Amino acid sequence: GAGVSQSPSNKVTEKGKDVELRCDPISGHTALYWYRQSLGQGLEFLIYFQGNSAPDKSGLPSDRFSAERTGGSVSTLTIQRTQQEDSAVYLCASSRSRTQYFGPGTRLTVL
Amino acid sequence: AQKITQTQPGMFVQEKEAVTLDCTYDTSDPSYGLFWYKQPSSGEMIFLIYQGSYDQQNATEGRYSLNFQKARKSANLVISASQLGDSAMYFCAMREGGGTSYGKLTFGQGTILTVHP
């Protein structure tokens, strides 16, 4: 079946602009996760959604970062006023039990 | 303190040989899960194997096995009969907390495995 999909695959933006990254989880998966992968920081958890529970936002690095999940499916990660240190690959994962399945990621470059 | 430590930045192995990738972890939670993922140069994260803290036996999945030593807090990945396609970055990860299958993963820094023909 279809895996986790993310769009765009690449995004280049200028410092100070807002960006939106999209994640489509595997159908039927109730949990959705966002991670960030960068050379300096490795793989970091950002936020996760599980069913109707309040999201765990404990990994968001600043209030410029936010995410929502509509209808228990698609999620959008928004970064406002982007900074150069936001450059990274943003990975989305979904699960219906213990194993998280990852999408291909969005590579964000902030100039 | 690092929760997941992978001490081998890079490893080399000859094709068809076995290789062990090290992972140690730190948690005070009695209930946790340990995962290994493979990330080829294409960038996708591929799930390989899972070990629960209460599992009595070491996990195995085809050519992958997990050498789980709970008292030493280690969860090493063993790849048998290495193939050229095994060349990739390998991440060890942990999820803490029982009573649920959900929760964030904490990742190690990764080990780059290179398989030589």
Side-chain angles (χ1 to χ4, degrees):
Chain A
V4 178
S5 60
Q6 294 186 244
S7 60
S9 54
N10 277 286
K11 176 72 176 179
V12 180
T13 191
E14 292 179 349
K15 178 182 171 181
K17 296 279 179 71
D18 298 352
V19 295
E20 287 188 348
L21 313 179
R22 177 187 168 107
C23 173
D24 282 84
I26 295 171
S27 177
H29 282 196
T30 57
L32 186 148
Y33 305 79
W34 284 98
Y35 295 88
R36 176 169 75 172
Q37 185 173 23
S38 59
L39 278 176
Q41 302 298 321
L43 264 158
E44 308 171 275
F45 164 77
L46 297 176
I47 185 171
Y48 98 90
F49 302 87
Q50 163 49 26
N52 295 321
S53 304
D56 177 352
K57 303 180 183 180
S58 61
L60 295 178
S62 77
D63 58 8
R64 295 187 296 105
F65 288 73
S66 63
E68 63 176 21
R69 188 178 186 193
T70 52
S73 181
V74 171
S75 176
T76 302
L77 177 70
T78 301
I79 309 173
Q80 296 179 308
R81 305 180 302 281
T82 52
Q83 304 293 312
Q84 288 183 329
E85 61 262 30
D86 299 335
S87 295
V89 176
Y90 289 80
L91 292 165
C92 176
S94 72
S95 76
R96 65 177 179 190
S97 64
R98 67 190 185 202
T99 301
Q100 296 177 25
Y101 296 93
F102 284 78
T106 293
R107 180 174 297 279
L108 175 66
T109 303
V110 182
L111 301 176
Chain B
Q2 292 275 8
K3 290 210 167 192
I4 297 284
T5 303
Q6 295 180 253
T7 57
Q8 307 153 315
M11 286 286 285
F12 295 88
V13 66
Q14 208 69 28
E15 195 178 9
K16 299 178 186 175
E17 300 278 308
V19 62
T20 298
L21 306 183
D22 294 343
C23 173
T24 57
Y25 59 92
D26 183 27
T27 181
S28 57
D29 198 319
S31 180
Y32 52 89
L34 297 157
F35 301 78
W36 278 91
Y37 284 85
K38 171 184 177 182
Q39 188 177 42
S41 56
S42 58
E44 61 189 306
M45 292 281 284
I46 303 167
F47 165 73
L48 296 178
I49 196 166
Y50 168 83
Q51 181 84 42
S53 60
Y54 294 118
D55 293 345
Q56 295 296 311
Q57 304 214 336
N58 287 343
T60 60
E61 289 284 351
R63 293 186 300 110
Y64 304 108
S65 60
L66 203 151
N67 184 0
F68 181 47
Q69 297 188 44
K70 195 170 182 177
R72 303 174 81 172
K73 293 188 175 178
S74 77
N76 299 338
L77 177 70
V78 180
I79 305 174
S80 63
S82 297
Q83 302 173 356
L84 295 178
D86 294 335
S87 293
M89 176 79 92
Y90 289 79
F91 289 98
C92 180
M94 176 173 64
R95 186 190 61 241
E96 294 169 281
T100 177
S101 298
Y102 305 103
K104 66 182 182 183
L105 295 178
T106 302
F107 288 86
Q109 290 299 103
T111 296
I112 299 175
L113 176 66
T114 304
V115 181
H116 289 304

